[in-house]
Amino acid sequence: MNLRNITILLSLLLFSRPLLAADITFTASASRTKVAVGEVFEVTFAVNGNLQRFGPPAFEGFQVVGGPNQSSSMTSINGATTVSMSLGYDLVGINEGVYTIPGAVAVVDGKQYRSNAIKITVVKGSPAGQNSSRGGPATADVSNSDASFDISKRLFIRAVSDKKSVFQGEQLAVTYKLYTNIDIVDNALDKLPDFNGFWSQEIKINTQNVDWTTEIFNGARYNVAVLKKVILFPERFGKLALDPLAMTFVVRQQVPSNDPMEQFFGGAVKDVKYNIKSLPISINVRQLPETGKPAGFQGAVGNFAVASSVDKNALKANEALNYKIKVSGTGNFKLLKTPELTLATDLEKYDPKIDDKLIESLDGVSGSREYTYLLIPRHGGNYKLAPFKFSYFNPISRKYVELNTEPHDLVVAKGDPTANVTSFAKGAEQDGPELDKDIRNIKTDSSALTIPSDSFFGSLAFFFLIIAGPISFLAALAYRTWYRNYNKDAVAVKNRKASRIAARHMANAQKQLAAGDKKVFYEAVYKGLYGYLADKLNISAADLSKEIIVEALRNRSVDLAIISEVEETIDLCEMARYAPMSGVSQPEVLEKAKRIIKDIENAQT
């Protein structure tokens, strides 16, 4: 190709650009114009040009559940290249009626275009694909209108209970499973079940990563993940419902495409958000039978065994022993009540220490619970710990079971009289020795008792304290009034404080003189003298100058010799701050500044 042909080709390309720009179209279309309430449909905006900016319309009357889903294509026919771009939104009609979606705005090659409006009719109906079968797939807030893509059959949560009918207090296990055979992009937990009416114990899933398994459900193969495992114990009888577990998922859905390139690479896809939840499960909780219920029954349900033991059978009065009751087996351990012991009056009992050794799994709660009581016999003698009676309801046999532990005999000898707690032989309490560490014997002779004197009331000290209060209040009030009047004149206050502030600066100058820092020394003298004159003459530091100071001192009839010393000292300090000086005695400068302040104070009095 020669140079002439190349020039002609470039010219054609340049002049063809405005012709191509004139053919730009920007259209809006809907997958259907008549939809049911809750049914998903798609609105697509397409433009055949290089889209620079896009402004979607207000979708009033609709909920946006997906999008924008963007796709682009490039075609070349007979050397002419065309770029196309489309943006799609998944919408759901909220209420019945006829709605108009206004046109969107697009900017292509610097020019603004507006698409056509779309009229959508929303009729009464429900989203397609909902499944309300008991224990089946979860319902979805939105679903795809395409019959070939029913989201409720490809992504759902099931709550699986091992029992649907139990007795009050009987354990049951519930597992929440996620079933899916579609690509999941993202997920978020919306709401956990409340388990109202149940005592719940969650079984922790130790693995941090999701453990996926394969399961066939209703003839379809799914990838299944366990979301939550929990053991429940109903606390009341009747019809109880297990609340749903709700989650939000973003799934990747394939959409039809006429683009050969997209078809070659597997077709177009879009990400859609879905809110799903498990179906509630109804549990029939039966009341425990009244027939055969033992008198001391406290609500234990399961299969238990009970045993008791003491750590010693022979001890002295006021010595402690441990009495243990151990309940083992399977059942509602967490709902067991503290055993009520029937003991002799001379045995002091403390609240028990409870030690649980339990294993929690979907098979239930099993293990043991041990109650350890601290018992202290207060008197010597022989005691018998009666058998502990324990009863429970067995849901398998549907009968009550009563168990008794073995009795325990205790031989208690008389305690040590020097012990912290006194021990008495029975029938001889008044003969016991008196100890300072315990309660003393009751005194029957009141001759040593006296009534405290009340001579303070009516005494001189009594009346003095009564009068002192008002007098102190009046004195404080008078002092506050004087203090406010004394300090209400800000100028007078600054005048009075001027010498004290100057004294602090001079003390700092004395310190710098001892340290040998000449520059800081002269600065301290300068600030002390300047600050003193500003406060004394009631002139702000910003307006203060040597000329103003001299004039103000003359107006106050200060001796001319003092004014001359003030000028000399200020000039000397200013020069010494910026340039080294020799032949000047610094102690003399300090004393001169102090003398100037003293002379001015005396002249003003």
Side-chain angles (χ1 to χ4, degrees):
M1 183 181 292
N2 55 28
L3 181 60
R4 180 184 177 184
N5 293 335
I6 294 175
T7 304
I8 294 173
L9 179 60
L10 292 175
S11 300
L12 290 174
L13 289 174
L14 291 173
F15 284 104
S16 64
R17 182 177 178 85
L19 296 176
L20 290 174
D23 295 336
I24 290 177
T25 59
F26 182 35
T27 60
S29 61
S31 59
R32 54 175 51 81
T33 56
K34 185 176 182 180
V35 296
V37 174
E39 185 178 0
V40 179
F41 67 99
E42 185 177 21
V43 173
T44 304
F45 301 92
V47 60
N48 63 338
N50 184 18
L51 183 63
Q52 296 173 332
R53 189 166 63 252
F54 176 76
F59 299 105
E60 295 184 2
F62 301 93
Q63 179 183 359
V64 180
V65 297
N69 307 306
Q70 181 177 329
S71 63
S72 60
S73 62
M74 180 182 296
T75 58
S76 180
I77 301 175
N78 296 328
T81 302
T82 304
V83 178
S84 301
M85 182 175 292
S86 64
L87 294 98
Y89 291 85
D90 294 328
L91 307 179
V92 172
I94 302 174
N95 298 313
E96 299 176 50
V98 178
Y99 301 91
T100 299
I101 300 176
V105 176
V107 176
V108 180
D109 294 331
K111 293 185 179 181
Q112 182 173 301
Y113 298 87
R114 182 177 292 274
S115 69
N116 57 294
I118 306 175
K119 184 176 290 186
I120 303 295
T121 302
V122 182
V123 298
K124 184 178 181 181
S126 58
Q130 281 194 354
N131 191 334
S132 59
S133 61
R134 183 182 182 91
T139 59
D141 290 349
V142 294
S143 61
N144 193 282
S145 59
D146 190 353
S148 64
F149 188 85
D150 188 353
I151 185 62
S152 65
K153 294 181 179 180
R154 300 192 63 182
L155 178 66
F156 54 88
I157 299 173
R158 289 184 65 214
V160 182
S161 174
D162 63 341
K163 301 173 186 176
K164 296 297 177 63
S165 179
V166 294
F167 284 99
Q168 180 179 344
E170 182 182 357
Q171 61 190 16
L172 68 146
V174 180
T175 305
Y176 289 87
K177 295 182 177 181
L178 173 65
Y179 288 73
T180 179
N181 55 16
I182 188 174
D183 291 338
I184 298 176
V185 179
D186 196 8
N187 68 87
L189 179 65
D190 295 335
K191 185 179 182 299
L192 288 171
D194 292 330
F195 302 122
N196 293 322
F198 294 89
W199 186 92
S200 62
Q201 177 64 51
E202 183 176 0
I203 300 175
K204 295 183 179 180
I205 302 175
N206 296 326
T207 57
Q208 295 181 352
N209 299 325
V210 179
D211 187 12
W212 291 97
T213 59
T214 303
E215 185 176 326
I216 304 297
F217 180 75
N218 288 342
R221 183 182 297 273
Y222 293 94
N223 295 319
V224 181
V226 176
L227 302 177
K228 186 180 182 67
K229 296 188 290 185
V230 64
I231 304 172
L232 302 177
F233 296 90
E235 296 180 304
R236 62 174 184 264
F237 60 88
K239 290 286 186 179
L240 302 182
L242 300 181
D243 297 332
L245 187 150
M247 295 186 69
T248 298
F249 290 89
V250 177
V251 299
R252 183 151 293 169
Q253 171 185 347
Q254 287 192 342
V255 294
S257 175
N258 296 323
D259 189 344
M261 295 295 292
E262 290 183 345
Q263 293 178 0
F264 178 79
F265 288 103
V269 295
K270 66 177 180 179
D271 293 340
V272 185
K273 181 186 292 185
Y274 287 98
N275 300 320
I276 64 174
K277 59 184 178 180
S278 63
L279 289 174
I281 298 179
S282 179
I283 304 296
N284 179 32
V285 182
R286 291 172 286 175
Q287 186 178 8
L288 295 175
E290 294 293 331
T291 305
K293 180 184 291 187
F297 179 72
Q298 293 186 324
V301 178
N303 187 14
F304 298 98
V306 64
S308 65
S309 63
V310 293
D311 61 346
K312 62 181 72 173
N313 294 96
L315 66 163
K316 293 181 180 181
N318 300 311
E319 286 185 359
L321 67 100
N322 291 318
Y323 177 46
K324 296 182 180 181
I325 298 175
K326 184 177 182 179
V327 181
S328 57
T330 303
N332 57 347
F333 278 97
K334 297 294 185 178
L335 300 180
L336 294 182
K337 297 181 180 179
T338 303
E340 297 179 359
L341 301 182
T342 302
L343 302 173
T345 56
D346 291 333
L347 289 176
E348 186 175 343
K349 177 190 70 174
Y350 291 86
D351 292 337
K353 175 185 175 183
I354 301 175
D355 183 21
D356 286 338
K357 296 180 180 178
L358 303 175
I359 300 175
E360 297 154 350
S361 65
L362 290 179
D363 296 330
V365 180
S366 60
S368 66
R369 168 173 285 189
E370 190 173 71
Y371 303 89
T372 302
Y373 291 87
L374 183 67
L375 305 181
I376 300 178
R378 290 306 183 186
H379 303 115
N382 296 326
Y383 299 89
K384 180 183 286 293
L385 298 180
F388 170 66
K389 296 181 179 181
F390 179 79
S391 58
Y392 66 92
F393 179 77
N394 190 324
I396 298 176
S397 63
R398 301 186 179 184
K399 293 180 180 180
Y400 290 96
V401 179
E402 293 186 79
L403 302 174
N404 293 321
T405 64
E406 65 277 9
H408 299 280
D409 295 323
L410 302 178
V411 178
V412 181
K414 186 176 180 181
D416 186 357
T418 62
N420 289 343
V421 182
T422 306
S423 174
F424 301 110
K426 286 192 175 182
E429 287 82 356
Q430 294 186 1
D431 297 335
E434 176 184 294
L435 299 177
D436 288 339
K437 297 181 180 179
D438 196 17
I439 301 174
R440 301 189 178 189
N441 291 337
I442 299 175
K443 294 183 179 292
T444 58
D445 184 10
S446 61
S447 60
L449 300 178
T450 59
I451 299 175
S453 175
D454 56 355
S455 59
F456 172 75
F457 297 98
S459 64
L460 182 62
F462 173 75
F463 288 109
F464 174 77
L465 291 177
I466 290 178
I467 298 173
I471 293 176
S472 300
F473 172 76
L474 293 175
L477 184 63
Y479 174 76
R480 188 187 67 172
T481 303
W482 171 84
Y483 183 80
R484 287 182 175 178
N485 293 332
Y486 184 70
N487 294 285
K488 66 180 180 180
D489 189 352
V491 175
V493 172
K494 289 177 64 178
N495 195 300
R496 289 195 300 269
K497 293 182 177 180
S499 60
R500 293 199 299 270
I501 297 174
R504 288 200 294 268
H505 284 288
M506 295 305 165
N508 183 34
Q510 184 73 43
K511 182 179 177 181
Q512 300 303 327
L513 178 61
D517 194 337
K518 295 181 180 181
K519 183 178 180 181
V520 180
F521 164 76
Y522 283 109
E523 285 183 358
V525 174
Y526 180 82
K527 289 180 181 178
L529 193 58
Y530 233 75
Y532 168 77
L533 293 172
D535 292 338
K536 199 68 177 178
L537 301 177
N538 192 27
I539 303 173
S540 65
D543 298 331
L544 200 64
S545 65
K546 185 175 69 173
E547 292 75 15
I548 293 176
I549 292 173
V550 171
E551 183 180 356
L553 291 175
R554 287 176 179 173
N555 293 336
R556 291 176 179 249
S557 302
V558 177
D559 189 83
L560 294 177
I562 298 176
I563 297 176
S564 178
E565 288 184 348
V566 170
E567 289 184 275
E568 292 176 1
T569 306
I570 291 176
D571 290 339
L572 179 62
C573 290
E574 285 184 341
M575 293 175 61
R577 290 169 62 197
Y578 302 105
M581 297 186 64
S582 60
V584 179
S585 175
Q586 296 172 8
E588 291 181 3
V589 174
L590 179 60
E591 291 301 325
K592 187 176 182 180
K594 291 181 180 180
R595 187 174 64 255
I596 290 172
I597 294 172
K598 183 178 179 181
D599 292 342
I600 294 176
E601 286 289 323
N602 294 332
Q604 296 297 307
T605 57

